[in-house]
Amino acid sequence: MQTMVLDERLDGRTPAEVETPELVARASNGDQVAWDQLVDRYSGMVWAVARAHGLGPHDAADVSEVTWLLLVQHLASMQEPERLGVWLLRIASREAYRMRRLRGYEVPELSTTTGSMPTQLEVL
């Protein structure tokens, strides 16, 4: 039912046809349907990032929750909304790393050349 509401406001476009920057703008103005579409669009990636860091389902759910909460807090101030996917990827990765440390998982050291997490291939 929510999809029909969004369609009516978007000149007959489906939610999938709406570009991310427009969804970000609408969601930051309180459009729940636009927010739901962003979550639908990116939740699989956020979950996959958390699980790729070796987290179990409960910890991955916590990482996802924190990632979405941080987006709510920063949604209105996003300077490059077209890069939302990259932003979510980085936040989920950082939160997964933080969760691994918090829960006592073995945590790989940050790369000395890039200052970021090593890739899965670098860890192997």
Side-chain angles (χ1 to χ4, degrees), residues 17-29:
E17 294 172 321
V18 180
E19 297 290 331
T20 298
E22 184 175 348
L23 290 173
V24 168
R26 288 174 174 274
S28 69
N29 288 322

Side-chain angles (χ1 to χ4, degrees), residues 62-83:
D62 287 346
V63 166
S64 293
E65 186 176 318
V66 169
T67 300
W68 291 112
L69 177 61
L70 288 169
L71 178 58
V72 167
Q73 293 171 349
H74 293 93
L75 195 60
S77 63
M78 290 203 79
Q79 295 188 10
E80 296 180 89
E82 67 278 0
R83 295 181 48 84

Side-chain angles (χ1 to χ4, degrees), residues 55 94-108 110 117:
L55 298 178
R94 287 179 186 165
E95 287 303 314
Y97 182 78
R98 187 187 63 77
M99 180 66 70
R100 287 178 60 90
R101 291 187 60 174
L102 181 69
R103 297 283 194 251
Y105 289 90
E106 182 178 326
V107 179
L110 292 177
M117 289 291 297

Side-chain angles (χ1 to χ4, degrees), residues 6-7 11-12 18 28 30 32 35 41 46 54 63 70 73 76-77 83 85 88-89 91 94 103 112-114 120-121:
L6 184 62
D7 286 347
D11 301 323
V18 180
S28 69
Q32 183 63 48
W35 172 259
R41 191 173 286 185
V46 170
V63 166
L70 288 169
Q73 293 171 349
S77 63
R83 295 181 48 84
L88 289 168
L89 179 86
I91 296 302
R94 287 179 186 165
R103 297 283 194 251
T112 56
T113 57
T114 64
Q120 194 168 13
L121 291 176

Side-chain angles (χ1 to χ4, degrees), residues 2-3 5 14 45 51 57 67-68 74 84 93 119 121:
Q2 290 179 340
T3 300
V5 172
T14 66
M45 179 194 68
R51 295 290 284 162
T67 300
W68 291 112
H74 293 93
L84 176 63
S93 291
T119 66
L121 291 176

